[in-house]
Amino acid sequence: MLKLILRWVSLSMLMVCTSVAWSKTVTGEGHAQIGSDVENARDLAYRRALRDASLQANVRVTSTEIANNGYISHDNIRMESAAEFGQVEILTESIDGNVLTLKVRAEVAQAPMCTPSKSQNYNKRVAVLGFSREKIDHATLGGLDAIERELPQRVALTMSSYGGLRVQPATHIGLYPDVTNAPSRSMPDYTVAELSRIGRDLGVQYVISGVIRDMSNRGDYKREELLIQPLLNWFVEPEPLTRRMSVDVYVYEAYSGALVHRTSYSDEGDWTESEFSKAGFGSQNFWKTDYGFAVERVIANISEDMSMLMNCQPFMAEILQAEGQQLRINAGALDGLRPGDTLTVYRTKEHYEHPVRIDASMNRVQTTVKISQVQPHFAFAEITSSIPVMQIQMRDMVVAW
């Protein structure tokens, strides 16, 4: 069965078209109960390792597992993506009791997420907020408490290196009062209405937030060495612990407050500092550790994926003023607008379930506007149809799809 999967992977390589835009090399790990057939367990562990690798590469995976008395009796894995596996290498295979573990390294090629569109002519304005921590005590080891602001700050800085974006770090702003259940429809008065306020205050189209779910470590320092460990560090390296970094990232459309994308990222590496180390997140000592390299990979993956996602989103700007047939909108030359560009007018409608706002929608107004004059941060546009100007309101939107 494993040979059949390897042949399927090889066939997938032949099917990769010339439109592939990028590729990632990621690792994945899979486990399976051996039972009475080692080959079937190896096959299942391999497929689970591919699934794990796919998740690292942000490929959409549908998975169904049915357990019976603690054992997996049915496992159905279906991958839905424009991505294809390239070369797959089995790194290690081990058996512990009746559990077989496979670790693989796979090259994942990803086709463009969207077709070329008019919106890609313009720069999307994006705010990156602070990332909340679900487990506060996970940052104690190494003194990594600054991660809530420093990690998204590095995401914003890395995203800024990609074209088509104007990224604004706002890591002093936290979004979720209930981190464990974030984001949740049980708190719409905060996540929806507050997002609109944040978006308007910062002047952005999209808001990225996140939750750091897991920074735990596997293994423990040897208790008998704790008192003399600082002295031992002069002579011998402390035994490294394997430490995990797991982050959920959420993307919102700022004007409506709608959640448009969510994805998870995880990696792990050896934490080679002593238990008494206060290296601090983002310090030179931190980035030199194997765990620091793992966190850097997570940051790179988040930044790349968010940049590709933004490239596929519509361009939107708010109408600030309407005088006669002339409109002033809050986007200009720095956003890529040029005289002669045409945009479509939309109206944002807010929906309430007393006493809180629960949703917002955008409805097309039957008119278009043409950009007549641009300044760095704003532009003037002329209404091109015969629609009465009183039907255009402040906070209406102009959109390019």
Side-chain angles (χ1 to χ4, degrees):
M1 181 61 103
L2 183 57
K3 293 180 180 178
L4 289 176
I5 294 178
L6 288 171
R7 283 200 292 270
W8 172 79
V9 171
S10 300
L11 180 61
S12 297
M13 289 183 62
L14 297 176
M15 296 173 64
V16 175
C17 61
T18 57
S19 62
V20 169
W22 54 269
S23 63
K24 291 181 179 178
T25 300
V26 293
T27 59
E29 188 171 280
H31 311 272
Q33 298 277 351
I34 294 176
S36 60
D37 193 330
V38 175
E39 191 62 29
N40 282 340
R42 184 177 290 111
D43 168 33
L44 181 55
Y46 184 83
R47 289 190 290 125
R48 288 177 175 170
L50 287 182
R51 176 180 60 189
D52 187 43
S54 300
L55 291 173
Q56 305 305 317
N58 198 28
V59 177
R60 184 181 305 152
V61 176
T62 301
S63 174
T64 303
E65 290 186 344
I66 300 175
N68 184 14
N69 295 325
Y71 293 92
I72 302 297
S73 59
H74 176 73
D75 186 277
N76 179 40
I77 301 172
R78 181 164 57 93
M79 299 181 184
E80 297 178 352
S81 174
E84 300 286 354
F85 283 111
Q87 182 177 358
V88 179
E89 176 188 0
I90 297 177
L91 298 177
T92 61
E93 177 181 332
S94 61
I95 295 176
D96 184 6
N98 66 336
V99 176
L100 186 146
T101 300
L102 274 179
K103 180 175 283 189
V104 302
R105 179 188 292 124
E107 183 180 84
V108 183
Q110 175 71 55
M113 293 180 65
C114 56
T115 57
S117 67
K118 184 179 178 182
S119 71
Q120 295 173 6
N121 297 328
Y122 306 113
N123 299 323
K124 315 299 179 7
R125 284 169 290 161
V126 185
V128 180
L129 307 187
F131 284 15
S132 304
R133 254 187 300 152
E134 182 174 356
K135 307 292 185 182
I136 299 298
D137 59 326
H138 281 192
T140 302
L141 183 62
L144 308 184
D145 300 274
I147 192 171
E148 294 185 1
R149 297 183 64 168
E150 293 296 326
L151 187 146
Q153 185 82 22
R154 289 182 73 92
V155 168
L157 181 64
T158 307
M159 286 181 63
S160 297
S161 65
Y162 290 88
L165 296 175
R166 294 178 62 190
V167 184
Q168 181 175 345
T171 59
H172 61 288
I173 300 175
L175 190 59
Y176 306 114
D178 180 4
V179 177
T180 302
N181 297 311
S184 171
R185 295 290 292 180
S186 65
M187 47 183 186
D189 55 328
Y190 192 89
T191 57
V192 178
E194 185 70 3
L195 272 164
S196 295
R197 184 193 66 78
I198 291 171
R200 286 192 167 95
D201 288 349
L202 299 178
V204 297
Q205 301 167 237
Y206 298 96
V207 172
I208 296 174
S209 67
V211 175
I212 301 166
R213 297 291 184 187
D214 190 3
M215 298 169 60
S216 61
N217 55 275
R218 292 202 303 269
D220 293 297
Y221 291 96
K222 296 178 181 178
R223 295 290 101 189
E224 64 272 15
E225 294 181 356
L226 284 182
L227 295 178
I228 61 171
Q229 185 64 57
L231 180 62
L232 290 176
N233 287 345
W234 288 95
F235 305 101
V236 62
E237 291 277 337
E239 189 72 21
L241 307 177
T242 300
R243 195 170 187 180
R244 191 155 184 83
M245 169 56 66
S246 180
V247 184
D248 289 349
V249 178
Y250 310 103
V251 182
Y252 298 88
E253 191 273 288
Y255 297 114
S256 68
L259 178 65
V260 298
H261 183 79
R262 61 185 297 173
T263 190
S264 299
Y265 300 85
S266 62
D267 206 330
E268 61 182 31
D270 289 339
W271 178 252
T272 51
E273 297 289 301
S274 77
E275 184 164 2
F276 300 97
S277 170
K278 296 298 178 183
F281 184 85
S283 68
Q284 289 187 353
N285 284 346
F286 175 83
W287 295 122
K288 289 178 181 177
T289 65
D290 185 60
Y291 182 64
F293 285 119
V295 173
E296 203 156 32
R297 288 193 297 271
V298 169
I299 291 172
N301 287 340
I302 294 173
S303 304
E304 183 177 40
D305 293 343
M306 293 301 103
S307 300
M308 292 183 66
L309 176 69
M310 290 297 105
N311 193 46
C312 298
Q313 299 302 309
F315 170 81
M316 291 177 284
E318 192 174 32
I319 295 175
L320 301 175
Q321 188 178 15
E323 293 182 355
Q325 293 292 110
Q326 190 175 74
L327 309 175
R328 184 166 67 91
I329 63 177
N330 72 336
L334 294 177
D335 301 287
L337 287 177
R338 297 293 182 265
D341 290 355
T342 58
L343 304 167
T344 304
V345 179
Y346 281 77
R347 177 156 300 152
T348 300
K349 183 177 181 181
E350 299 178 348
H351 305 278
Y352 291 86
E353 184 175 297
H354 187 78
V356 298
R357 172 184 161 187
I358 61 170
D359 206 351
S361 61
M362 291 180 61
N363 303 305
R364 180 171 179 172
V365 178
Q366 297 300 315
T367 190
T368 58
V369 299
K370 179 181 286 188
I371 302 298
S372 58
Q373 183 185 140
V374 295
Q375 299 294 328
H377 299 286
F378 64 91
F380 293 100
E382 301 285 344
I383 299 174
T384 58
S385 65
S386 58
I387 184 173
V389 71
M390 67 279 298
Q391 293 189 22
I392 304 295
Q393 304 174 3
M394 288 179 58
R395 294 198 169 181
D396 283 349
M397 311 296 299
V398 290
V399 181
W401 295 95

PDB file of all heavy atoms in Angstrom, residues 386-400:
ATOM      1  N   SER A 386     -25.932  58.477 -13.904  1.00  0.00           N
ATOM      2  CA  SER A 386     -26.893  59.536 -13.638  1.00  0.00           C
ATOM      3  C   SER A 386     -27.559  59.403 -12.272  1.00  0.00           C
ATOM      4  O   SER A 386     -28.541  60.083 -11.997  1.00  0.00           O
ATOM      5  CB  SER A 386     -27.979  59.533 -14.726  1.00  0.00           C
ATOM      6  OG  SER A 386     -28.627  58.275 -14.763  1.00  0.00           O
ATOM      7  N   ILE A 387     -27.057  58.545 -11.416  1.00  0.00           N
ATOM      8  CA  ILE A 387     -27.660  58.348 -10.104  1.00  0.00           C
ATOM      9  C   ILE A 387     -27.594  59.642  -9.307  1.00  0.00           C
ATOM     10  O   ILE A 387     -26.576  60.353  -9.329  1.00  0.00           O
ATOM     11  CB  ILE A 387     -26.942  57.205  -9.347  1.00  0.00           C
ATOM     12  CG1 ILE A 387     -27.635  56.934  -8.011  1.00  0.00           C
ATOM     13  CG2 ILE A 387     -25.479  57.523  -9.122  1.00  0.00           C
ATOM     14  CD1 ILE A 387     -27.100  55.720  -7.285  1.00  0.00           C
ATOM     15  N   PRO A 388     -28.679  60.038  -8.612  1.00  0.00           N
ATOM     16  CA  PRO A 388     -28.647  61.255  -7.811  1.00  0.00           C
ATOM     17  C   PRO A 388     -27.572  61.179  -6.737  1.00  0.00           C
ATOM     18  O   PRO A 388     -27.386  60.137  -6.098  1.00  0.00           O
ATOM     19  CB  PRO A 388     -30.053  61.295  -7.183  1.00  0.00           C
ATOM     20  CG  PRO A 388     -30.910  60.463  -8.082  1.00  0.00           C
ATOM     21  CD  PRO A 388     -29.997  59.384  -8.603  1.00  0.00           C
ATOM     22  N   VAL A 389     -26.839  62.270  -6.549  1.00  0.00           N
ATOM     23  CA  VAL A 389     -25.716  62.257  -5.624  1.00  0.00           C
ATOM     24  C   VAL A 389     -26.178  62.020  -4.193  1.00  0.00           C
ATOM     25  O   VAL A 389     -25.429  61.513  -3.367  1.00  0.00           O
ATOM     26  CB  VAL A 389     -24.929  63.582  -5.732  1.00  0.00           C
ATOM     27  CG1 VAL A 389     -25.731  64.747  -5.142  1.00  0.00           C
ATOM     28  CG2 VAL A 389     -23.587  63.454  -4.988  1.00  0.00           C
ATOM     29  N   MET A 390     -27.449  62.377  -3.869  1.00  0.00           N
ATOM     30  CA  MET A 390     -27.903  62.166  -2.493  1.00  0.00           C
ATOM     31  C   MET A 390     -27.985  60.694  -2.117  1.00  0.00           C
ATOM     32  O   MET A 390     -28.079  60.340  -0.959  1.00  0.00           O
ATOM     33  CB  MET A 390     -29.261  62.850  -2.251  1.00  0.00           C
ATOM     34  CG  MET A 390     -30.430  62.270  -3.016  1.00  0.00           C
ATOM     35  SD  MET A 390     -30.492  62.882  -4.719  1.00  0.00           S
ATOM     36  CE  MET A 390     -30.721  64.629  -4.487  1.00  0.00           C
ATOM     37  N   GLN A 391     -27.952  59.813  -3.115  1.00  0.00           N
ATOM     38  CA  GLN A 391     -27.957  58.388  -2.827  1.00  0.00           C
ATOM     39  C   GLN A 391     -26.565  57.865  -2.457  1.00  0.00           C
ATOM     40  O   GLN A 391     -26.423  56.721  -2.070  1.00  0.00           O
ATOM     41  CB  GLN A 391     -28.518  57.606  -4.017  1.00  0.00           C
ATOM     42  CG  GLN A 391     -29.992  57.879  -4.266  1.00  0.00           C
ATOM     43  CD  GLN A 391     -30.575  56.940  -5.299  1.00  0.00           C
ATOM     44  OE1 GLN A 391     -30.038  55.868  -5.535  1.00  0.00           O
ATOM     45  NE2 GLN A 391     -31.676  57.340  -5.914  1.00  0.00           N
ATOM     46  N   ILE A 392     -25.553  58.704  -2.623  1.00  0.00           N
ATOM     47  CA  ILE A 392     -24.200  58.361  -2.177  1.00  0.00           C
ATOM     48  C   ILE A 392     -24.017  58.941  -0.785  1.00  0.00           C
ATOM     49  O   ILE A 392     -24.250  60.125  -0.556  1.00  0.00           O
ATOM     50  CB  ILE A 392     -23.127  58.923  -3.121  1.00  0.00           C
ATOM     51  CG1 ILE A 392     -23.369  58.430  -4.554  1.00  0.00           C
ATOM     52  CG2 ILE A 392     -21.747  58.525  -2.635  1.00  0.00           C
ATOM     53  CD1 ILE A 392     -23.211  56.956  -4.731  1.00  0.00           C
ATOM     54  N   GLN A 393     -23.602  58.125   0.165  1.00  0.00           N
ATOM     55  CA  GLN A 393     -23.484  58.542   1.546  1.00  0.00           C
ATOM     56  C   GLN A 393     -22.049  58.401   2.041  1.00  0.00           C
ATOM     57  O   GLN A 393     -21.280  57.595   1.517  1.00  0.00           O
ATOM     58  CB  GLN A 393     -24.404  57.682   2.439  1.00  0.00           C
ATOM     59  CG  GLN A 393     -25.860  57.692   2.038  1.00  0.00           C
ATOM     60  CD  GLN A 393     -26.677  56.725   2.848  1.00  0.00           C
ATOM     61  OE1 GLN A 393     -26.165  56.065   3.783  1.00  0.00           O
ATOM     62  NE2 GLN A 393     -27.954  56.615   2.527  1.00  0.00           N
ATOM     63  N   MET A 394     -21.723  59.201   3.039  1.00  0.00           N
ATOM     64  CA  MET A 394     -20.462  58.995   3.737  1.00  0.00           C
ATOM     65  C   MET A 394     -20.442  57.580   4.307  1.00  0.00           C
ATOM     66  O   MET A 394     -21.480  57.065   4.755  1.00  0.00           O
ATOM     67  CB  MET A 394     -20.278  60.015   4.846  1.00  0.00           C
ATOM     68  CG  MET A 394     -19.985  61.420   4.369  1.00  0.00           C
ATOM     69  SD  MET A 394     -19.804  62.566   5.757  1.00  0.00           S
ATOM     70  CE  MET A 394     -18.446  61.804   6.678  1.00  0.00           C
ATOM     71  N   ARG A 395     -19.303  56.957   4.273  1.00  0.00           N
ATOM     72  CA  ARG A 395     -19.068  55.593   4.715  1.00  0.00           C
ATOM     73  C   ARG A 395     -19.555  54.553   3.712  1.00  0.00           C
ATOM     74  O   ARG A 395     -19.470  53.361   4.006  1.00  0.00           O
ATOM     75  CB  ARG A 395     -19.660  55.334   6.104  1.00  0.00           C
ATOM     76  CG  ARG A 395     -18.963  56.137   7.199  1.00  0.00           C
ATOM     77  CD  ARG A 395     -19.237  55.577   8.570  1.00  0.00           C
ATOM     78  NE  ARG A 395     -18.358  56.181   9.564  1.00  0.00           N
ATOM     79  CZ  ARG A 395     -18.346  55.886  10.850  1.00  0.00           C
ATOM     80  NH1 ARG A 395     -19.181  54.957  11.314  1.00  0.00           N
ATOM     81  NH2 ARG A 395     -17.520  56.474  11.687  1.00  0.00           N
ATOM     82  N   ASP A 396     -20.089  55.000   2.590  1.00  0.00           N
ATOM     83  CA  ASP A 396     -20.215  54.058   1.461  1.00  0.00           C
ATOM     84  C   ASP A 396     -18.812  53.682   1.013  1.00  0.00           C
ATOM     85  O   ASP A 396     -17.826  54.381   1.335  1.00  0.00           O
ATOM     86  CB  ASP A 396     -21.001  54.688   0.310  1.00  0.00           C
ATOM     87  CG  ASP A 396     -22.503  54.698   0.578  1.00  0.00           C
ATOM     88  OD1 ASP A 396     -22.942  54.056   1.533  1.00  0.00           O
ATOM     89  OD2 ASP A 396     -23.214  55.367  -0.193  1.00  0.00           O
ATOM     90  N   MET A 397     -18.697  52.589   0.267  1.00  0.00           N
ATOM     91  CA  MET A 397     -17.388  52.090  -0.121  1.00  0.00           C
ATOM     92  C   MET A 397     -17.229  52.107  -1.637  1.00  0.00           C
ATOM     93  O   MET A 397     -18.212  51.942  -2.370  1.00  0.00           O
ATOM     94  CB  MET A 397     -17.211  50.632   0.360  1.00  0.00           C
ATOM     95  CG  MET A 397     -17.564  50.387   1.813  1.00  0.00           C
ATOM     96  SD  MET A 397     -16.503  51.276   2.948  1.00  0.00           S
ATOM     97  CE  MET A 397     -14.933  50.565   2.501  1.00  0.00           C
ATOM     98  N   VAL A 398     -16.004  52.310  -2.096  1.00  0.00           N
ATOM     99  CA  VAL A 398     -15.667  52.060  -3.487  1.00  0.00           C
ATOM    100  C   VAL A 398     -14.796  50.807  -3.504  1.00  0.00           C
ATOM    101  O   VAL A 398     -13.894  50.648  -2.674  1.00  0.00           O
ATOM    102  CB  VAL A 398     -14.953  53.244  -4.160  1.00  0.00           C
ATOM    103  CG1 VAL A 398     -15.929  54.406  -4.342  1.00  0.00           C
ATOM    104  CG2 VAL A 398     -13.734  53.701  -3.365  1.00  0.00           C
ATOM    105  N   VAL A 399     -15.074  49.911  -4.441  1.00  0.00           N
ATOM    106  CA  VAL A 399     -14.464  48.579  -4.429  1.00  0.00           C
ATOM    107  C   VAL A 399     -13.954  48.221  -5.810  1.00  0.00           C
ATOM    108  O   VAL A 399     -14.590  48.531  -6.818  1.00  0.00           O
ATOM    109  CB  VAL A 399     -15.484  47.517  -3.954  1.00  0.00           C
ATOM    110  CG1 VAL A 399     -14.854  46.137  -3.914  1.00  0.00           C
ATOM    111  CG2 VAL A 399     -16.054  47.878  -2.585  1.00  0.00           C
ATOM    112  N   ALA A 400     -12.801  47.574  -5.840  1.00  0.00           N
ATOM    113  CA  ALA A 400     -12.291  46.947  -7.069  1.00  0.00           C
ATOM    114  C   ALA A 400     -12.120  45.465  -6.787  1.00  0.00           C
ATOM    115  O   ALA A 400     -11.438  45.077  -5.823  1.00  0.00           O
ATOM    116  CB  ALA A 400     -10.949  47.566  -7.467  1.00  0.00           C
TER     117      ALA A 400
END
